Each structure stands twice: as structure tokens, then as C-alpha cells.
Amino acid sequence: MANSSSTVQLQNITHITDYISQIQTHPNPLEEHPFFRTFDGFYLTQTDIILRHNVLDLSGTFPPPLAYLRAGPRNKIFFNPSDVRAAIVTCGGLCPGMNTVIRELVVGLWELYGVRGIFGIKAGYRGFYSYDPVELNPKMVDDWHKRGGTVLETSRGGFDLNKIVNAIQDHGFNQLYIIGGDGTMRGAVEIFEELKQRKLYISMVGIPKTVDNDVGIIDRSFGFQTAVEMAQQAISAAHVEAESAVNGIGLVKLMGRSTGHIALHATLSSRDVDCCLIPEIDFYLEGKGGLFEFLEDQLKEMGHAVLVVAEGAGQDIIPRTESQKAEKDESGNPIFLDVGGWLKSELKNWWNRDHPNELFTIKYIDPTYMIRAVPANATDNSYCTLLAHSAIHGVMAGYTGFVCGPINGNYAYIPVDEIAKAKNKVDTRDHKWSWVRSVSNQPDFITS
């Protein structure tokens, strides 16, 4: 429950001692670690907080700002390292940096806290009850950060609460590190509540993973900057293809089911994009102010155009059969139709109808699996290390049911149920979207 004061509203996270009493504490092993030098302020306390918002309008009144506990080592730990059996699981789709997070969890637990019982769970949530755990150590994971994907393997679905928690108990795990997106975090909330209900001495942390950057509250999700970097390469190729053809259009479909962050940031950074279509903006094809009119003017003036579309854009205007309307994936998400393929077809039909005797070329590029399957870049690799260490410090300190992530550049502990519900949509009313329109000169698709 939120804890308020006259100055801030602190979002508390659960501690194991909230439902289990008489737990023995231990000195933090970092105190004797040869590579750490502890000093006043090295260990964080309940008074070390991070504000959710650091920009305020002082012209009006506002409630006490939300705040979260700052991530980092505490002077007492609630797990004897020799008794720890930690489980690491990856769920959902691939994302650059997953292997880095796994590696840094293993190395961090081993080297910082002296933990030797570290296990990987194969194939997502179903792996708890379907496969034997894989014992992990620093030598085994040494080069995992250089690989894309997840060596532990992943899957969607397979969430059976009782089977999962029973398997956790049977294997004797007392620390859980769950890496996944919003669906995974919703499952983590259920696991956390069941652990509390059973009063189990088990600490659970979620590490939010989504290449789309659609997790709310935190500054960004790991792998996102790598995704933007790779998206730029696809856009550059599309620009070369379009520029080299008569009336050439380069069409690039990027990831982004419900948010267009990759498309937006790739557009801003590449400067080769003439129109960026994202899920947060409705668009239309025909008529005044429509996409066809804009592209025709662009082709007349420049001779080519580059169009970027996020996978979740335009889903409401793509024709669907009755069976397609009811389709869901294993995680319960609606099946998205291929907006890139549909748009390519509509563009061809438009040109053949209005300019039957003129040359026209469309080069369609879908780099989805290239982007999400590559290793993390340098920035994301550093970020993954800090995420992993933040998670380890929090779990060893006895916190549970939380997520770690950066807020305003500082790492914080956030209740997992908040993360499971929070969304990070592109704000089309802020300066960043105006910047997109200024560099692309694209229409706003507002009908009169």
C-alpha cells in the first residue's frame, strides 16, 4: 500500500518479513569483498527514494509526488548465500540483451554474494513443471552476452499457477528471477500472491523485457536501443532502394504491437523517413489529407519516398474475416494482420489505378526477426548488467514482488503489480511527435 507524507507518496514494496516472522539476517558479503570499498552512504535504506516525475508545473497545485525505493545493496541480507537456490526464467518473445541479463544474474549472484545454487528454467513458465532445471555457473555463461536470443529458450503461454508454484517448492527454489514482458509480469503477480498466500520463504523479482519499449513507469526497456539501431539499418536500405528506382517507395515494417516507439525513434534518428505510421495515430489512404495524396506529392517532388509502419498500426482498417477477428495467440493477445503486406498491396492497386502507364516500384522490408534476435549493443549490455545487479541486491535484502528499472536515470524498486498494469504509449501531443512531423512533413490524418 502507498505510504504518504506531506512531501512524497512512497510506493512501498513487500518484504518477506511482512508475512514471515523471526527471520535471521546476515551481514552483507560486500563488506568483505575485495573489489568493494564500503563507506557512509554505500548501503541504501528506506529513506533513499527516487521521484516518479522530476518535472513539475509550479503554477498550479499538485498532490505529493510518487516515489519509489532506490535500488542497491543493503547492509543486512535475509538469505544465507550457502542456502540460496535461485531460478532464472525467460518468457515471451526474443529481445536483444536477454542472454546478457541471464549472464549477469549468474555472475552477480556468484561473485558478489557467493551463491552457488543457480539454475536456469527452460522454455518459459511451462519449464518449471515440464523440464529439469539447468545448473548454471560463471564459466558456462561466460560468452552468453555475445549471443542473441536466450540460451535458456523461451515460449509463450504454459502458465499454470499451481503447477508452477508446486514445482518451485519441489525444487527448493527460494529466489525467482523472472524475465519477460507484460503478460509475463501479470503471471509474476499471480505467482507472488500465491507465494504470500502459502507464506513461503521465497523472494521473487521481475525484470521487464519488451523490445517495443511499451512497459510503463521505467525510462526504457532493455534491448530497445539495439532495436532502434538495427531498425535504422533497414530504413537506410529502404531509402537506397527507393532512391534508385523510378517512383520508388521503400516500405519498412517495424515492431510495435501497441506502441510505436521503435518506429518513432528510428524515424527521428535516420532522417530518411517521409512518413511514420504508429498504432497511436489513426490514418487513412484515400481522399484529401490521406496517405496516397501525400505520397503522390512526395514522388512528384523527390522521385522517391520511404514509409515506416509499426506492426500494430492500421489494424482497424485492414479487412478481417470473422475467424481472424476471433484469433488469439498463446498469450491471449489478438492476432495482428500483416499491415506491411496489406499496405504494399494497397499502394500497388492505387498506383495501377491512377497511373497505369507510369513506372512504380515498392521494396518491402520486414526486419522483425533480425532486430529482435541480435545481441545487445554496448549501451544495452551495460543497462542489462545494472538491471541484474539491482535485482540481486533487492532479492538478497529480502524484498519480493517487485521489478527493478531506471526512473529518471536512477534504478528503483517498483511493485510488480504496478508494472503489470502500466503502459507506455507514444504521447502524440508532446514535442517529440511534433518533431517527427517536422522532419517528415507527413500529414496529421485529421479529418474535418
Side-chain angles (χ1 to χ4, degrees), residues 283-299:
F283 69 92
Y284 56 96
L285 304 180
E286 304 277 0
K288 185 70 175 172
L291 181 63
F292 292 161
E293 180 187 69
F294 170 75
L295 289 176
E296 181 151 10
D297 291 343
Q298 184 70 18
L299 290 176

Side-chain angles (χ1 to χ4, degrees), residues 30-65:
L30 296 179
E31 192 71 35
E32 305 298 330
H33 199 287
F35 300 119
F36 283 85
R37 185 183 297 277
T38 59
F39 50 85
D40 289 343
F42 177 85
Y43 295 116
L44 304 183
T45 70
Q46 290 291 103
T47 60
D48 289 295
I49 63 168
I50 295 167
L51 295 181
R52 168 82 177 272
H53 302 289
N54 61 359
V55 178
L56 299 172
D57 181 359
L58 296 179
S59 65
T61 59
F62 46 86

Side-chain angles (χ1 to χ4, degrees), residues 118-152:
I118 310 170
F119 300 86
I121 306 301
K122 296 181 62 176
Y125 276 138
R126 60 171 44 87
F128 278 107
Y129 56 84
S130 299
Y131 300 97
D132 292 330
V134 179
E135 196 160 358
L136 303 175
N137 59 60
K139 183 177 181 180
M140 180 187 298
V141 304
D142 183 55
D143 66 346
W144 283 17
H145 62 295
K146 299 176 183 178
R147 309 188 203 178
T150 165
V151 179
L152 291 180

Side-chain angles (χ1 to χ4, degrees), residues 72-324:
R74 269 58 180 174
N75 67 336
K76 297 292 183 183
I77 61 173
F78 286 74
F79 288 90
N80 184 339
S82 63
D83 296 334
V84 169
R85 285 177 62 84
I88 303 168
V89 64
T90 53
C91 306
L94 298 184
C95 175
M98 292 174 79
N99 277 328
T100 305
V101 173
I102 299 167
R103 180 193 188 277
E104 297 309 315
L105 286 172
V106 173
V107 175
L109 283 165
W110 191 286
E111 300 291 352
L112 297 180
Y113 285 95
V115 172
R116 296 296 181 261
I118 310 170
F119 300 86
I121 306 301
K122 296 181 62 176
Y125 276 138
R126 60 171 44 87
F128 278 107
Y129 56 84
S130 299
Y131 300 97
D132 292 330
V134 179
E135 196 160 358
L136 303 175
N137 59 60
K139 183 177 181 180
M140 180 187 298
V141 304
D142 183 55
D143 66 346
W144 283 17
H145 62 295
K146 299 176 183 178
R147 309 188 203 178
T150 165
V151 179
L152 291 180
E153 302 174 357
T154 185
S155 69
R156 298 187 186 275
F159 186 83
D160 187 312
L161 181 60
N162 284 325
K163 285 185 177 179
I164 291 170
V165 177
N166 288 342
I168 290 168
Q169 285 189 267
D170 291 343
H171 289 299
F173 297 139
N174 53 12
Q175 293 187 3
L176 303 177
Y177 297 86
I178 300 175
I179 306 164
D182 56 352
T184 302
M185 291 301 116
R186 288 193 293 271
V189 172
E190 293 189 45
I191 292 172
F192 166 58
E193 293 297 338
E194 184 65 18
L195 296 176
K196 280 202 303 182
Q197 180 69 26
R198 300 189 190 188
K199 296 188 184 304
L200 298 177
Y201 195 166
I202 300 173
S203 183
M204 187 222 76
V205 59
I207 300 177
K209 169 223 53 106
T210 166
V211 73
D212 296 343
N213 198 37
D214 58 1
V215 173
I217 301 177
I218 63 174
D219 295 346
R220 72 179 191 279
S221 50
F222 74 80
F224 173 68
Q225 291 198 335
T226 305
V228 172
E229 189 176 292
M230 294 299 296
Q232 275 189 266
Q233 295 181 24
I235 290 170
S236 178
H239 181 251
V240 170
E241 291 285 353
E243 200 175 31
S244 301
V246 177
N247 293 319
I249 289 183
L251 174 59
V252 181
K253 184 181 81 171
L254 297 175
M255 287 174 294
R257 290 177 58 87
S258 59
T259 64
H261 290 287
I262 293 177
L264 181 151
H265 283 81
T267 294
L268 288 176
S269 54
S270 76
R271 299 304 181 93
D272 287 331
V273 179
D274 299 294
C275 187
C276 174
L277 304 175
I278 60 176
E280 293 87 348
I281 289 287
D282 293 330
F283 69 92
Y284 56 96
L285 304 180
E286 304 277 0
K288 185 70 175 172
L291 181 63
F292 292 161
E293 180 187 69
F294 170 75
L295 289 176
E296 181 151 10
D297 291 343
Q298 184 70 18
L299 290 176
K300 283 179 181 177
E301 181 180 353
M302 301 297 294
H304 66 276
V306 175
L307 178 60
V308 167
V309 58
E311 62 182 315
Q315 292 297 318
D316 56 334
I317 61 175
I318 305 175
R320 286 178 181 264
T321 64
E322 288 302 316
S323 62
Q324 286 174 329

